[in-house]
Amino acid sequence: FAAGLAEVIKYGPIADEDFLGWIEAHLHALIARDEAALTHAVRRSCEIKARIVGQDERETGLRATLNFGHTFGHAIETGLGYGQWLHGEAVGCGMVMAADLSVRLGLIDPGYAQRLTRLIGAAGLPVTGPKLGNERYLQLMQHDKKSEGGELRFVVIEAPGRATLRGAPDALVHQVLTAHTA
């Protein structure tokens, strides 16, 4: 259940800041599986995804933002071996890392990344990744579909409720990995 919440949570920072606030305010109801809260969360998630896919059917840019947390998350899944962590657990942790990368790129305030980290942790998701080694993470992320010409590209938060796809220097990625793996 928590793994599924990761995919709901991601819509706030990438596309709807009000929805992120709603998730924070209703997290206990979601965890308790309150039908009205779950219905709203699923409906709003579907609306956001449909809007994004409708604007970018061929995945030329905007649609890639649906992969917030996935570059780091897929590296975790592959590095550990599929099945060790659920997809949503890896994505939740990946969102923490991507939010920190957004801070290090100067795009968002550290408080926003901390807020997102608290929410992800409160949802029962891991906020610290496994210690695979920074070079192994980088190697695994090279296979991400968003990489272009050997350059890693990440979905980062450019402002609360808005995401973009961009590259990041390896040195910053190393800093993120060092800060968020144990």
Side-chain angles (χ1 to χ4, degrees):
F1 186 81
L5 281 178
E7 295 288 351
V8 171
I9 291 169
K10 79 174 179 190
Y11 290 111
I14 68 163
D16 187 342
E17 182 62 20
D18 290 339
F19 185 47
L20 183 64
W22 183 90
I23 294 167
E24 289 171 316
H26 294 87
L27 183 61
H28 292 302
L30 290 167
I31 291 170
R33 293 172 172 78
D34 175 81
E35 188 174 337
L38 290 172
T39 298
H40 177 74
V42 170
R43 179 181 299 121
R44 187 66 191 127
S45 296
C46 290
E47 289 168 354
I48 294 168
K49 184 171 186 172
R51 184 186 79 226
I52 291 171
V53 171
Q55 291 176 5
D56 185 11
E57 291 181 22
R58 302 210 189 281
E59 200 165 347
T60 58
L62 179 63
R63 189 170 174 175
T65 63
L66 294 172
N67 291 313
F68 177 59
H70 286 65
T71 302
F72 290 106
H74 288 155
I76 291 169
E77 287 178 297
T78 304
L80 286 177
Y82 289 99
Q84 294 297 311
W85 280 29
L86 297 173
H87 176 70
E89 292 172 323
V91 168
C93 186
M95 287 191 287
V96 169
M97 293 176 176
D100 183 30
L101 181 60
S102 303
V103 170
R104 292 174 193 272
L105 287 167
L107 301 172
I108 60 170
D109 183 86
Y112 189 78
Q114 292 164 357
R115 174 185 171 200
L116 187 56
T117 299
R118 280 191 305 274
L119 176 61
I120 290 166
L125 296 160
V127 295
T128 302
K131 195 81 160 173
L132 303 175
N134 291 1
E135 292 307 320
R136 179 73 175 135
Y137 269 100
L138 289 171
Q139 177 188 38
L140 292 166
M141 288 188 287
Q142 287 294 330
H143 300 290
D144 188 86
K145 67 182 179 180
K146 293 177 296 302
S147 291
E148 282 187 4
E151 180 191 23
L152 289 175
R153 293 170 21 121
F154 299 87
V155 177
V156 291
I157 305 166
E158 62 180 346
R162 196 172 71 232
T164 190
L165 184 64
R166 67 185 286 183
D170 284 354
L172 288 185
V173 177
H174 276 278
Q175 291 173 14
V176 169
L177 293 168
T178 299
H180 296 284
T181 57

